[in-house]
Amino acid sequence: MKKEILKIDFKNQNNPKSFFDIVKIEELLERDLDHNISKNHLVKFYIIFFVYKGQGYHTIDFTDYKYAEGTVLLIRKDQIHKFSRSTNLKGYLLVFTEEFINGHLNRKEVLKSMQLFNNSLSFPKIKFNNKKELSDFTSVIKQLDAEYQSKDDFSIGITRSLLHVIITKLFRIKSRVGHSVKGSKYMSQFLEFQSLVDRDCFKSKKVQYYSKLMGVSTKTLNNIVNDVVNNSTKAFIDEISMLRIKALLISTDYSIKEISYISGFNDPTNFYKYFKKFTGSSPEVFRKAH
């Protein structure tokens, strides 16, 4: 049986109907789980990774991000990540699904909240450099934790509101350091396009395929993508495709030939050329290096 990328669904055994959980990172690292969190795995939910003591690194989509006191890392649904083992680490994971956000915010606010986690739009790491700001943020996190643990008729509603406050505070920090999410009249269309590419990048890498699905011209689609991420449509498709190919190379035991067919290439030679164009190395060299 072929080894594939492990996909982790949201599961809250204590409160399965909430679509939210808060976990202390140090406790998670000590848990006896049914999967190894120190190996690459894909999550089907959103994570706010907050560290208030200790240091180390966390890997998101095969990129290592160093963290220390006052670091926040943002992980979106369908991203691949893994934990590193760190001593004296203290922090929180806020884990939730879109359903949890949808139950409280209007469509515009939901759209804005999801943008915070989109690393095509915004850098996934935030660092608090102001001690008062860090202290205030930590207090809100602890308040959310206490509220969530109370589990009365009002706790879920208050927890949602506090999560919205946390997300808004993170937007504020990003805007101050120049990593704010760019506003665009095309944002809804771009997110639709991104979702289609995430789903179909192995089915087609052609701009015309996606413009047809969206009911717009290739020129309009290029304008949408360029306005939001300052990139061409084809370059964005290739970027997502390469990320998925790297995931197959690193996290599965499929042969190179099998991966070439899975990723939409009828001829492995074309797959080699495509991969080398974007990485400068062969798939075998990349796999061995990781």
Side-chain angles (χ1 to χ4, degrees):
M1 184 176 177
K2 291 289 184 181
K3 182 185 78 171
E4 297 188 358
I5 299 169
L6 184 63
K7 296 178 182 178
I8 308 298
D9 291 315
F10 179 84
K11 189 190 300 181
N12 184 339
Q13 294 177 338
N14 295 324
N15 196 354
K17 294 182 180 179
S18 73
F19 300 109
F20 174 86
D21 203 1
I22 181 166
V23 183
K24 290 182 179 178
I25 300 173
E26 59 272 25
E27 291 180 2
L28 178 68
L29 294 173
E30 296 300 322
R31 283 186 188 177
D32 184 18
L33 300 171
D34 59 0
H35 61 281
N36 187 349
I37 60 175
S38 296
K39 292 187 176 181
N40 287 313
H41 55 282
L42 183 148
V43 290
K44 305 298 289 184
F45 43 83
Y46 296 84
I47 302 172
I48 296 176
F49 182 111
F50 171 58
V51 175
Y52 65 86
K53 183 179 179 182
Q55 58 185 9
Y57 69 91
H58 193 79
T59 306
I60 307 171
D61 280 343
F62 317 112
T63 298
D64 293 337
Y65 294 93
K66 290 183 178 179
Y67 59 72
E69 177 185 352
T71 302
V72 173
L73 298 174
L74 302 165
I75 301 158
R76 76 178 173 100
K77 178 183 174 183
D78 293 325
Q79 280 194 299
I80 294 168
H81 78 131
K82 67 178 179 179
F83 291 80
S84 63
R85 300 285 174 178
S86 301
T87 57
N88 300 319
L89 175 63
K90 290 188 180 296
Y92 289 93
L93 296 179
L94 308 185
V95 183
F96 57 95
T97 65
E98 289 174 60
E99 287 87 348
F100 188 74
I101 295 291
N102 284 332
H104 175 65
L105 305 177
N106 61 39
R107 185 178 179 277
K108 184 178 179 181
E109 285 298 318
V110 170
L111 185 66
K112 183 178 179 182
S113 296
M114 294 302 101
Q115 289 171 31
L116 183 70
F117 297 85
N118 194 328
N119 65 340
S120 293
L121 304 174
S122 179
F123 195 61
K125 177 179 174 179
I126 301 172
K127 185 75 172 71
F128 288 89
N129 292 315
N130 181 308
K131 291 202 176 206
K132 183 180 184 308
E133 208 160 37
L134 172 58
S135 176
D136 290 346
F137 186 81
T138 305
S139 295
V140 178
I141 294 275
K142 291 184 176 181
Q143 183 183 352
L144 184 152
D145 187 22
E147 190 59 53
Y148 181 65
Q149 302 305 332
S150 69
K151 293 183 173 60
D152 61 24
D153 292 341
F154 305 96
S155 62
I156 291 297
I158 296 172
T159 300
R160 282 197 189 101
S161 296
L162 288 170
L163 180 61
H164 188 210
V165 169
I166 288 166
I167 289 172
T168 306
K169 281 179 174 288
L170 293 175
F171 267 115
R172 174 193 279 171
I173 299 298
K174 282 202 167 200
S175 68
R176 285 181 183 170
V177 297
H179 289 154
S180 58
V181 177
K182 177 186 175 184
S184 170
K185 63 181 180 179
Y186 298 122
M187 186 59 70
S188 293
Q189 290 167 290
F190 172 79
L191 293 175
E192 179 189 355
F193 164 68
Q194 184 182 34
S195 178
L196 290 170
V197 176
D198 281 338
R199 186 190 73 187
D200 289 353
C201 63
F202 286 169
K203 186 175 181 180
S204 178
K205 297 172 180 58
K206 293 183 178 179
V207 175
Q208 294 90 332
Y209 173 85
Y210 297 97
S211 66
K212 187 175 180 180
L213 284 179
M214 294 180 65
V216 300
S217 68
T218 55
K219 182 179 179 181
T220 297
L221 184 55
N222 270 307
N223 288 339
I224 291 168
V225 177
N226 184 61
D227 185 79
V228 177
V229 293
N230 195 29
N231 207 349
S232 73
T233 307
K234 185 63 172 74
F236 185 85
I237 295 167
D238 288 331
E239 184 180 305
I240 300 297
S241 177
M242 282 302 306
L243 192 61
R244 298 288 179 266
I245 290 169
K246 288 176 180 178
L248 289 172
L249 287 167
I250 292 173
S251 302
T252 76
D253 57 4
Y254 287 111
S255 69
I256 305 299
K257 188 175 182 180
E258 286 174 313
I259 290 174
S260 73
Y261 290 132
I262 291 170
S263 53
F265 294 88
N266 294 324
D267 183 354
T269 302
N270 291 332
F271 172 72
Y272 272 81
K273 289 178 181 176
Y274 182 82
F275 190 86
K276 192 164 186 178
K277 175 183 176 182
F278 293 103
T279 65
S281 68
S282 70
E284 289 92 345
V285 169
F286 180 85
R287 175 174 260 178
K288 287 177 181 177
H290 293 82

